[in-house]
Amino acid sequence: DVQLQESGPGLVKPSQSLSLTCTVTGYSITSDYAWNWIRQFPGNKLEWMGYISYSGSTSYNPSLKSRISITRDTSKNQFFLQLNSVTTEDTATYYCARLITTVVEGYYFDYWGQGTTLTVSS
Amino acid sequence: DVVVTQTPLSLPVSFGDQVSISCRSSQSLANSYGNTYLSWYLHKPGQSPQLLIYGISNRFSGVPDRFSGSGSGTDFTLKISTIKPEDLGMYYCLQGTHQPLTFGAGTKLELK
Protein backbone atom coordinates (compact mmCIF):
# COMPACT_ATOMS: atom_id res chain seq x y z
CA ASP A 1 0.00 0.00 0.00
CA VAL A 2 1.27 3.48 -0.86
CA GLN A 3 1.91 5.68 2.15
CA LEU A 4 3.24 9.22 2.44
CA GLN A 5 4.45 10.85 5.65
CA GLU A 6 5.41 14.48 6.10
CA SER A 7 7.94 15.74 8.62
CA GLY A 8 9.10 19.21 9.50
CA PRO A 9 10.10 21.68 12.21
CA GLY A 10 6.61 22.81 13.29
CA LEU A 11 7.73 26.41 13.89
CA VAL A 12 9.71 28.78 11.68
CA LYS A 13 10.56 32.44 12.19
CA PRO A 14 9.51 35.07 9.64
CA SER A 15 12.03 35.66 6.82
CA GLN A 16 13.57 32.22 7.34
CA SER A 17 13.24 29.22 5.06
CA LEU A 18 11.05 26.22 5.75
CA SER A 19 12.07 22.71 4.83
CA LEU A 20 9.71 19.76 4.83
CA THR A 21 10.29 16.11 3.98
CA CYS A 22 7.85 13.60 2.51
CA THR A 23 8.83 9.97 2.94
CA VAL A 24 7.09 7.57 0.56
CA THR A 25 6.70 3.85 1.19
CA GLY A 26 5.09 1.21 -0.99
CA TYR A 27 5.96 2.88 -4.30
CA SER A 28 9.10 4.26 -5.88
CA ILE A 29 8.94 7.97 -6.66
CA THR A 30 11.01 7.28 -9.78
CA SER A 31 8.50 4.77 -11.23
CA ASP A 32 5.73 7.10 -12.36
CA TYR A 33 3.41 10.01 -11.48
CA ALA A 34 4.12 13.33 -9.81
CA TRP A 35 4.89 14.02 -6.17
CA ASN A 36 3.26 17.10 -4.78
CA TRP A 37 3.03 19.59 -1.98
CA ILE A 38 -0.34 21.05 -1.09
CA ARG A 39 -1.17 23.28 1.83
CA GLN A 40 -4.33 24.07 3.75
CA PHE A 41 -4.63 27.47 5.35
CA PRO A 42 -6.56 28.25 8.53
CA GLY A 43 -10.11 28.61 7.21
CA ASN A 44 -9.67 25.45 5.08
CA LYS A 45 -8.57 26.86 1.71
CA LEU A 46 -6.40 24.36 -0.20
CA GLU A 47 -3.53 25.52 -2.40
CA TRP A 48 -1.51 23.35 -4.77
CA MET A 49 2.13 24.37 -4.39
CA GLY A 50 4.02 22.25 -6.91
CA TYR A 51 5.41 18.86 -7.80
CA ILE A 52 8.44 16.88 -8.82
CA SER A 53 7.75 14.23 -11.41
CA TYR A 54 9.07 10.68 -11.49
CA SER A 55 11.67 11.89 -14.02
CA GLY A 56 12.78 14.77 -11.81
CA SER A 57 11.13 17.64 -13.64
CA THR A 58 9.34 20.22 -11.54
CA SER A 59 6.26 22.41 -11.82
CA TYR A 60 5.37 25.18 -9.41
CA ASN A 61 2.40 27.38 -8.69
CA PRO A 62 3.31 30.77 -10.20
CA SER A 63 2.15 32.44 -7.00
CA LEU A 64 5.14 30.81 -5.26
CA LYS A 65 7.59 30.48 -8.11
CA SER A 66 10.25 32.80 -6.76
CA ARG A 67 10.28 31.20 -3.29
CA ILE A 68 9.72 27.47 -3.80
CA SER A 69 11.95 24.54 -4.59
CA ILE A 70 11.01 20.84 -4.66
CA THR A 71 13.82 18.32 -4.75
CA ARG A 72 14.22 14.63 -4.02
CA ASP A 73 16.52 11.92 -2.69
CA THR A 74 15.77 8.84 -4.74
CA SER A 75 17.97 6.61 -2.55
CA LYS A 76 15.68 7.31 0.40
CA ASN A 77 12.46 7.59 -1.64
CA GLN A 78 11.89 11.06 -0.25
CA PHE A 79 11.04 14.42 -1.70
CA PHE A 80 11.40 17.82 -0.13
CA LEU A 81 9.83 21.25 -0.02
CA GLN A 82 11.83 24.39 0.54
CA LEU A 83 10.01 27.69 0.83
CA ASN A 84 12.10 30.82 1.28
CA SER A 85 11.37 34.13 2.98
CA VAL A 86 8.35 32.86 4.88
CA THR A 87 5.79 35.17 6.45
CA THR A 88 2.91 34.56 8.83
CA GLU A 89 0.74 33.98 5.75
CA ASP A 90 2.63 30.72 5.16
CA THR A 91 1.18 29.31 8.38
CA ALA A 92 -0.72 26.22 7.23
CA THR A 93 -0.95 22.46 7.30
CA TYR A 94 1.29 21.03 4.60
CA TYR A 95 0.42 17.82 2.80
CA CYS A 96 2.37 15.72 0.37
CA ALA A 97 0.38 13.74 -2.18
CA ARG A 98 0.75 11.59 -5.26
CA LEU A 99 -0.73 13.04 -8.45
CA ILE A 100 -1.94 10.59 -11.03
CA THR A 101 -1.21 11.94 -14.49
CA THR A 102 -2.99 10.01 -17.22
CA VAL A 103 -4.25 11.29 -20.54
CA VAL A 104 -7.75 9.84 -20.29
CA GLU A 105 -8.58 9.90 -16.58
CA GLY A 106 -6.70 13.03 -15.84
CA TYR A 107 -4.84 14.66 -13.03
CA TYR A 108 -5.98 13.77 -9.50
CA PHE A 109 -4.49 13.04 -6.08
CA ASP A 110 -4.98 9.44 -5.00
CA TYR A 111 -2.74 9.21 -1.90
CA TRP A 112 -2.09 11.91 0.66
CA GLY A 113 0.02 12.15 3.79
CA GLN A 114 -1.46 12.97 7.19
CA GLY A 115 -0.18 16.54 7.02
CA THR A 116 2.25 18.53 9.14
CA THR A 117 1.33 21.81 10.76
CA LEU A 118 3.70 24.70 10.26
CA THR A 119 3.47 27.94 12.19
CA VAL A 120 5.41 31.02 11.17
CA SER A 121 5.96 33.19 14.21
CA SER A 122 8.71 35.14 15.89
CA ASP B 1 -5.74 30.91 -12.79
CA VAL B 2 -8.98 28.96 -13.20
CA VAL B 3 -11.36 29.92 -10.43
CA VAL B 4 -13.53 27.08 -9.14
CA THR B 5 -16.67 28.26 -7.39
CA GLN B 6 -18.06 25.63 -5.07
CA THR B 7 -21.54 25.84 -3.55
CA PRO B 8 -22.94 25.68 -1.00
CA LEU B 9 -20.26 26.46 1.56
CA SER B 10 -22.29 24.75 4.28
CA LEU B 11 -24.79 21.94 3.92
CA PRO B 12 -26.73 20.87 7.02
CA VAL B 13 -28.07 17.34 6.58
CA SER B 14 -29.90 14.54 8.30
CA PHE B 15 -28.81 10.94 7.95
CA GLY B 16 -30.57 9.34 5.01
CA ASP B 17 -30.79 12.61 3.03
CA GLN B 18 -29.69 12.98 -0.57
CA VAL B 19 -27.65 16.08 -1.38
CA SER B 20 -25.76 17.73 -4.23
CA ILE B 21 -22.65 19.90 -4.24
CA SER B 22 -21.82 22.08 -7.22
CA CYS B 23 -18.53 23.24 -8.71
CA ARG B 24 -18.40 25.77 -11.51
CA SER B 25 -15.15 26.73 -13.21
CA SER B 26 -14.26 30.08 -14.79
CA GLN B 27 -13.34 28.30 -18.03
CA SER B 28 -14.04 24.96 -19.58
CA LEU B 29 -12.21 22.02 -18.03
CA ALA B 30 -12.26 20.03 -21.28
CA ASN B 31 -8.80 19.91 -22.84
CA SER B 32 -7.99 19.85 -26.54
CA TYR B 33 -8.41 16.05 -26.57
CA GLY B 34 -11.87 16.28 -25.04
CA ASN B 35 -10.79 14.97 -21.63
CA THR B 36 -12.01 16.70 -18.47
CA TYR B 37 -10.01 16.55 -15.27
CA LEU B 38 -12.37 17.20 -12.36
CA SER B 39 -12.10 15.26 -9.11
CA TRP B 40 -13.79 15.28 -5.69
CA TYR B 41 -12.33 14.77 -2.21
CA LEU B 42 -13.62 14.32 1.35
CA HIS B 43 -11.58 15.69 4.22
CA LYS B 44 -12.49 14.55 7.70
CA PRO B 45 -11.01 16.25 10.79
CA GLY B 46 -7.68 14.75 11.79
CA GLN B 47 -7.39 12.71 8.61
CA SER B 48 -5.84 13.25 5.22
CA PRO B 49 -8.14 14.14 2.33
CA GLN B 50 -9.46 11.10 0.50
CA LEU B 51 -10.22 10.78 -3.19
CA LEU B 52 -13.85 10.05 -4.01
CA ILE B 53 -14.31 10.73 -7.74
CA TYR B 54 -11.90 11.37 -10.63
CA GLY B 55 -12.47 12.17 -14.28
CA ILE B 56 -15.87 13.71 -13.45
CA SER B 57 -17.66 10.45 -12.64
CA ASN B 58 -15.26 7.59 -11.86
CA ARG B 59 -15.46 6.31 -8.30
CA PHE B 60 -12.10 5.61 -6.70
CA SER B 61 -11.42 2.14 -5.31
CA GLY B 62 -13.53 1.41 -2.23
CA VAL B 63 -15.81 4.44 -2.57
CA PRO B 64 -19.46 3.47 -2.03
CA ASP B 65 -21.87 3.82 -4.93
CA ARG B 66 -23.96 6.35 -3.00
CA PHE B 67 -21.34 8.85 -4.27
CA SER B 68 -21.73 9.90 -7.90
CA GLY B 69 -20.27 12.64 -10.06
CA SER B 70 -21.57 14.27 -13.20
CA GLY B 71 -21.16 17.33 -15.39
CA SER B 72 -19.23 18.74 -18.30
CA GLY B 73 -17.53 21.89 -19.49
CA THR B 74 -17.77 24.30 -16.56
CA ASP B 75 -20.53 22.76 -14.42
CA PHE B 76 -20.03 19.73 -12.20
CA THR B 77 -21.99 18.04 -9.43
CA LEU B 78 -21.26 15.58 -6.66
CA LYS B 79 -24.33 13.74 -5.48
CA ILE B 80 -24.50 11.79 -2.22
CA SER B 81 -27.52 9.61 -1.66
CA THR B 82 -28.55 8.23 1.72
CA ILE B 83 -26.05 10.16 3.83
CA LYS B 84 -24.31 8.18 6.59
CA PRO B 85 -22.37 9.43 9.64
CA GLU B 86 -19.03 8.68 7.98
CA ASP B 87 -19.90 11.11 5.15
CA LEU B 88 -19.67 14.20 7.36
CA GLY B 89 -16.73 16.51 6.67
CA MET B 90 -15.41 18.96 4.09
CA TYR B 91 -15.85 18.24 0.40
CA TYR B 92 -13.59 19.77 -2.24
CA CYS B 93 -13.48 19.68 -5.99
CA LEU B 94 -10.21 20.00 -7.90
CA GLN B 95 -9.65 21.01 -11.49
CA GLY B 96 -6.62 19.30 -12.99
CA THR B 97 -6.92 20.49 -16.60
CA HIS B 98 -5.22 23.86 -16.33
CA GLN B 99 -2.06 24.89 -14.53
CA PRO B 100 -1.94 25.79 -11.71
CA LEU B 101 -4.24 23.13 -10.30
CA THR B 102 -6.97 24.80 -8.26
CA PHE B 103 -9.45 23.65 -5.63
CA GLY B 104 -12.93 24.80 -4.81
CA ALA B 105 -13.38 26.54 -1.46
CA GLY B 106 -15.00 23.51 0.13
CA THR B 107 -18.44 22.48 1.34
CA LYS B 108 -18.94 21.53 4.96
CA LEU B 109 -21.39 18.67 5.28
CA GLU B 110 -22.67 18.75 8.86
CA LEU B 111 -25.60 17.56 10.91
CA LYS B 112 -28.68 19.75 11.19
Side-chain angles (χ1 to χ4, degrees):
Chain A
D1 199 22
V2 181
Q3 294 188 2
L4 298 92
Q5 179 66 59
E6 306 89 348
S7 57
L11 179 66
V12 175
K13 291 183 179 353
S15 79
Q16 292 185 341
S17 295
L18 78 83
S19 295
L20 300 178
T21 298
C22 182
T23 301
V24 181
T25 55
Y27 194 89
S28 171
I29 63 172
T30 61
S31 290
D32 205 344
Y33 308 130
W35 303 88
N36 294 250
W37 289 98
I38 299 154
R39 60 184 178 177
Q40 184 171 39
F41 298 105
N44 295 320
K45 178 185 173 184
L46 288 167
E47 178 182 63
W48 171 74
M49 300 180 73
Y51 67 66
I52 186 164
S53 76
Y54 70 97
S55 65
S57 63
T58 55
S59 178
Y60 300 131
N61 192 319
S63 67
L64 299 167
K65 202 155 192 177
S66 61
R67 298 198 292 137
I68 189 173
S69 176
I70 299 177
T71 57
R72 64 182 183 173
D73 182 336
T74 58
S75 68
K76 295 181 179 179
N77 216 37
Q78 294 175 326
F79 64 103
F80 311 101
L81 170 70
Q82 181 170 318
L83 189 65
N84 299 322
S85 305
V86 299
T87 71
T88 55
E89 296 193 353
D90 294 309
T91 294
T93 298
Y94 287 75
Y95 294 94
C96 55
R98 186 174 82 168
L99 179 70
I100 300 297
T101 53
T102 64
V103 172
V104 175
E105 295 168 344
Y107 284 34
Y108 56 91
F109 299 107
D110 63 343
Y111 290 100
W112 299 62
Q114 288 291 318
T116 185
T117 300
L118 186 96
T119 301
V120 180
S121 175
S122 54
Chain B
D1 297 2
V2 173
V3 176
V4 181
T5 302
Q6 187 173 340
T7 56
L9 296 183
S10 175
L11 193 46
V13 300
S14 299
F15 297 134
D17 283 354
Q18 174 175 296
V19 298
S20 294
I21 300 170
S22 169
C23 275
R24 290 188 172 175
S25 55
S26 58
Q27 57 185 277
S28 175
L29 299 186
N31 65 14
S32 56
Y33 300 100
N35 299 311
T36 302
Y37 303 158
L38 190 285
S39 51
W40 292 92
Y41 302 83
L42 167 59
H43 191 192
K44 302 178 188 179
Q47 298 185 19
S48 53
Q50 56 190 92
L51 174 66
L52 298 172
I53 302 283
Y54 62 92
I56 302 176
S57 59
N58 301 286
R59 273 188 301 276
F60 187 54
S61 174
V63 174
D65 61 7
R66 63 178 182 276
F67 292 91
S68 63
S70 63
S72 64
T74 61
D75 289 345
F76 304 91
T77 301
L78 175 71
K79 192 169 291 184
I80 314 169
S81 62
T82 319
I83 288 180
K84 297 188 175 184
E86 59 264 36
D87 299 338
L88 300 180
M90 287 290 293
Y91 287 80
Y92 296 92
C93 58
L94 166 75
Q95 71 80 17
T97 302
H98 304 283
Q99 291 273 4
L101 309 183
T102 48
F103 290 89
T107 295
K108 187 173 185 179
L109 199 71
E110 55 190 347
L111 271 183
K112 279 181 184 171

